Amino acid sequence: MSAALDAWLARLERQHPVAIELGLERVAEVAARLGLNERPLAGQVVTVAGTNGKGSTVALLERLAACHGLSTACYTSPHLLRYNERLRLDGEPADDALLVAGFERVEAARLAGEAVSLTYFEAGTLAALWAIAERQPQLAILEVGLGGRLDAVNVVDPDIAVITTIAHDHADFLGDDLEGIGFEKAGILRQGRPAVLGSRQLPASVSARLEALAAPAYWLGQAFAPEARDGGWQWQGSDAEGQRYEFDSLPDPGLPLDNAAVALQVLTLLGVTAQGDAVREALATVSLPGRLQWLGNWCLDVAHNPHAAAYVAERLAARPRPTRRIGLLGVLGDKDAEALIAALGPAVDAWVAVGLDGPRGRSAAKLGEAIEAAGAPLLARCDSPAAGVAWLRERLGADEEVLVCGSFLTVAEALGALTALD
């Protein structure tokens, strides 16, 4: 990372009193000053919201579009190792110079008149939107950061809205009521524009919003569906004109098949004539760091809520069981560590608890208490994910595996430590 980009990121972290402040008024004002309302962001825009599955859906759609010849831009968050990962242009992370130029434009716009205060995420989102608009790709894919209705990404009107799943997470901001969470996620829907729903069951608040907006809805399990077959899987769906598509013998992308099915459905709604060979190439070559990512006998996944953790446990259960699988777990203080431990328990034989720093952090001591309360074997408490990696590297047997999970922060630090050691 260049010194200029590093300085900008440090400045953005300091300049707003809170890290998260939901609401569109301030973002919309700066977006207007940037001229983002005066031209289209891209040929078509897809916005993706949901509790789990956003990142994999974005990655799958990005790869499908690229294999069908479309230019793409993706905005996602958070990043693992480098901030540049948040903005990808034709599959490649944005360079430092483009990001710095975006931050400079946003800063000038927010001070052009009465100063507008922006959070780190809001400034980064606006800088990415400016960069995408400069590039004018055929397809822009935007991942919602938190919720939907009041998230900074929602300042853009999408051509297609995607809601992957809805479960409990971010209770401090979205509450514990699934109907209320569904209402927030459904805030990305637009009047008369297609919506792709990546769950077979969603709260009634989502259906009510779809009906109120007369938005054509494409539901997983109804309009389209994946079906596992020996040696692969099959997908069936249709485009906006009702033309049916069916693809057989599809490769496992290493990501949830429901999310792959969602991405395929979105592709057909974009007006792209999906081709079997291009679809298979995309599924065979897609990658997403931090999602069931294997480095030797280490598996890294950013699962940080029970719904995502249960999926990880299910995928691991489908693998041959090693002599022992150790969970290296680091969980933020506002997450349900007990539920995470319970969901992962069937796939993990013993645990190493690691601490996470910062105002939202949770110490290894506190996490260790939760593990022991669950009646699970606790091997060690380490101050950080990197320390946990070092502790395990000295003791791990050749026939043992490690699952690293619990937070983006846990996976990012562990991934950095593992790659540095290699």
Side-chain angles (χ1 to χ4, degrees):
M1 183 183 299
S2 68
L5 178 56
D6 189 53
W8 266 107
L9 295 176
R11 176 177 178 177
L12 294 177
E13 286 181 336
R14 294 191 305 266
Q15 74 179 16
H16 196 79
V18 295
I20 300 173
E21 184 175 352
L22 295 176
L24 294 183
E25 183 177 344
R26 291 171 295 104
V27 177
E29 171 61 28
V30 179
R33 295 179 187 180
L34 283 166
L36 293 177
N37 302 338
E38 300 169 5
R39 56 175 172 167
L41 190 69
Q44 295 185 83
V45 176
V46 175
T47 297
V48 182
T51 305
N52 296 306
K54 297 189 299 291
S56 56
T57 300
V58 170
L60 286 155
L61 178 56
E62 175 189 36
R63 192 72 191 120
L64 283 164
C67 288
H68 283 84
L70 299 184
S71 58
T72 62
C74 291
Y75 175 61
T76 63
S77 63
H79 59 277
L80 280 177
L81 300 181
R82 300 174 62 230
Y83 185 90
N84 310 60
E85 298 164 21
R86 296 191 179 208
L87 177 60
R88 296 194 301 273
L89 302 172
D90 290 328
E92 295 296 326
D95 61 37
D96 289 7
L98 179 62
L99 294 172
V100 168
F103 291 138
E104 290 173 346
R105 292 298 184 102
V106 170
E107 182 69 2
R110 82 172 189 89
L111 297 176
E114 184 177 352
V116 178
S117 183
L118 296 172
T119 67
Y120 176 97
F121 177 75
E122 290 167 342
T125 299
L126 287 168
L129 295 178
W130 172 83
I132 293 171
E134 290 290 298
R135 182 78 167 234
Q136 285 291 299
Q138 291 170 291
L139 176 64
I141 312 168
L142 310 177
E143 178 189 346
V144 168
L146 194 160
R149 182 174 64 93
L150 300 176
D151 186 86
V153 165
N154 204 33
V155 75
V156 176
D157 290 327
D159 297 287
I160 300 173
V162 177
I163 300 176
T164 55
T165 61
I166 293 177
H168 292 105
D169 201 6
H170 299 294
D172 289 351
F173 296 95
L174 302 179
D176 290 315
D177 175 47
L178 286 180
E179 291 295 337
I181 296 171
F183 175 78
E184 293 299 327
K185 307 288 188 189
I188 69 167
L189 303 175
R190 294 297 189 270
Q191 184 77 38
R193 298 189 182 182
V196 179
L197 295 313
S199 177
R200 290 168 176 81
Q201 289 186 322
L202 289 173
S205 54
V206 176
S207 297
R209 190 62 180 160
L210 288 165
E211 184 176 352
L213 294 172
Y218 296 80
W219 288 83
L220 175 68
Q222 299 177 23
F224 66 98
E227 182 179 346
R229 296 286 180 87
D230 291 340
W233 62 289
Q234 178 191 62
W235 180 85
Q236 296 183 27
S238 60
D239 62 20
E241 283 69 47
Q243 179 181 339
R244 296 292 298 173
Y245 286 86
E246 181 174 326
F247 298 111
D248 289 304
S249 303
L250 297 175
D252 183 351
L255 298 169
L257 293 189
D258 282 356
N259 297 338
V262 167
L264 271 167
Q265 181 58 59
V266 173
L267 185 75
T268 66
L269 295 176
L270 291 170
V272 175
T273 302
Q275 303 291 333
D277 288 345
V279 168
R280 293 182 185 93
E281 179 188 356
L283 295 174
T285 57
V286 67
S287 65
L288 185 59
R291 274 73 164 189
L292 289 171
Q293 179 183 2
W294 286 91
L295 296 175
N297 54 347
W298 293 69
C299 178
L300 301 97
D301 195 281
V302 297
H304 55 274
N305 57 55
H307 183 270
Y311 173 76
V312 171
E314 179 184 346
R315 288 298 297 261
L316 290 176
R319 294 172 52 87
R321 188 85 178 196
T323 301
R324 185 170 65 162
R325 183 179 291 126
I326 301 168
L328 189 156
L329 186 68
V331 184
L332 288 171
D334 55 3
K335 300 298 180 182
D336 190 343
E338 291 78 6
L340 268 175
I341 295 161
L344 291 167
V348 174
D349 301 303
W351 298 91
V352 171
V354 300
L356 297 178
D357 291 331
R360 296 172 60 204
R362 186 194 305 255
S363 70
K366 287 291 186 184
L367 183 56
E369 290 174 5
I371 292 171
E372 290 179 325
L378 179 65
L379 302 179
R381 295 177 174 87
C382 299
D383 290 338
S384 68
V389 168
W391 190 90
L392 279 169
R393 286 286 287 254
E394 293 179 357
R395 296 164 176 83
L396 195 65
D399 53 354
E400 294 180 318
E401 291 180 356
V402 179
L403 169 64
V404 180
C405 63
S407 170
F408 273 86
L409 297 174
T410 306
V411 170
E413 186 172 331
L415 181 59
L418 285 167
T419 53
L421 287 168
D422 290 338

